[in-house]
């Protein structure tokens, strides 16, 4: 880890087709001021790229990994097997099984190698970013303040009565 350089979040996804969902994680991190990078890495189509990425996470100053994948979604689990950093898995809403396949593939990890599994699709991508920000906030007072402000705004935006 580089000293005095804030830890960043790495957003990875199995395919370009996942970006529609995963860009919501980017948008959320931007709102909070968390540094991030975004990459396409497929456990099945680019296994060497996956290994290379996972082997260099700590050297590259990454604090949390958000991994989105759909269908037979092995990416988050494989990354968690290769790095000790926290991995948050976002099940992409697949066309064939509406993301149930992705959810179960990501959630049903064997004991010993955890992946924090979020909800299917857009909600999962947004919540993964919020969770990643709260992990980074443990050692970053600016991010802690920004995250608290965002939550306060959200609370204020909820009307007391429906229109
Ligand atoms: C997974 O296969 C990806 O994460 C994606 O959700 C799914 C389908 O990929 P494409 O065929 O759209 O590239 O690896």
């Amino acid at each position: 880890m580089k000293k005095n350089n804030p830890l960043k979040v790495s957003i990875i996804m199995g395919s370009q087709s996942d970006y529609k969902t995963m860009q919501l994680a980017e948008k959320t991190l931007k709102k909070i001021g968390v540094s991030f990078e975004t990459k396409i890495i497929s456990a099945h189509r680019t296994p060497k790229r996956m290994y290379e990425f996972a082997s260099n996470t700590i050297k590259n100053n990454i604090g949390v990994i958000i991994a989105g994948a759909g269908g037979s979604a092995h990416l988050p689990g494989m990354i968690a097997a290769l790095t000790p950093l926290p991995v948050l898995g976002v099940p992409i809403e697949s066309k064939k099984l509406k993301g149930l396949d992705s959810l179960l593939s990501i959630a049903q990890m064997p004991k010993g190698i955890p992946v924090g599994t979020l909800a299917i699709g857009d909600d999962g991508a947004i919540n993964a970013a919020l969770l990643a920000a709260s992990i980074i906030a443990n050692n970053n007072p600016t991010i802690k303040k920004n995250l608290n402000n965002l939550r306060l705004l959200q609370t204020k935006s909820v009307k007391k009565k429906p229109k």
Side-chain angles (χ1 to χ4, degrees), residues 13-18 42 44-45 68-72 92:
M13 64 206 79
S15 168
Q16 174 65 46
S17 64
D18 300 331
S42 166
H44 307 116
R45 294 173 179 151
S72 182
I92 300 293

Side-chain angles (χ1 to χ4, degrees), residues 38-58:
T38 309
K39 293 175 191 287
I40 296 174
I41 296 175
S42 166
H44 307 116
R45 294 173 179 151
T46 67
K48 285 188 183 150
R49 195 188 298 176
M50 177 188 69
Y51 186 80
E52 182 74 15
F53 165 81
S55 307
N56 290 303
T57 49
I58 293 174

Side-chain angles (χ1 to χ4, degrees), residues 70-135:
S72 182
H74 293 137
L75 181 66
M78 286 307 298
I79 295 291
L82 290 165
T83 167
L85 294 177
V87 177
L88 306 176
V90 179
I92 300 293
E93 188 172 339
S94 57
K95 284 192 196 117
K96 287 163 191 131
L97 296 174
K98 302 221 172 294
L100 187 59
D101 43 357
S102 324
L103 174 67
L104 297 180
S105 303
I106 296 174
Q108 289 300 108
M109 287 295 291
K111 60 181 171 295
I113 304 294
V115 170
T117 308
L118 282 298
I120 296 170
D122 294 358
D123 289 6
I126 292 167
N127 279 346
L130 292 171
L131 206 48
S134 72
I135 295 169

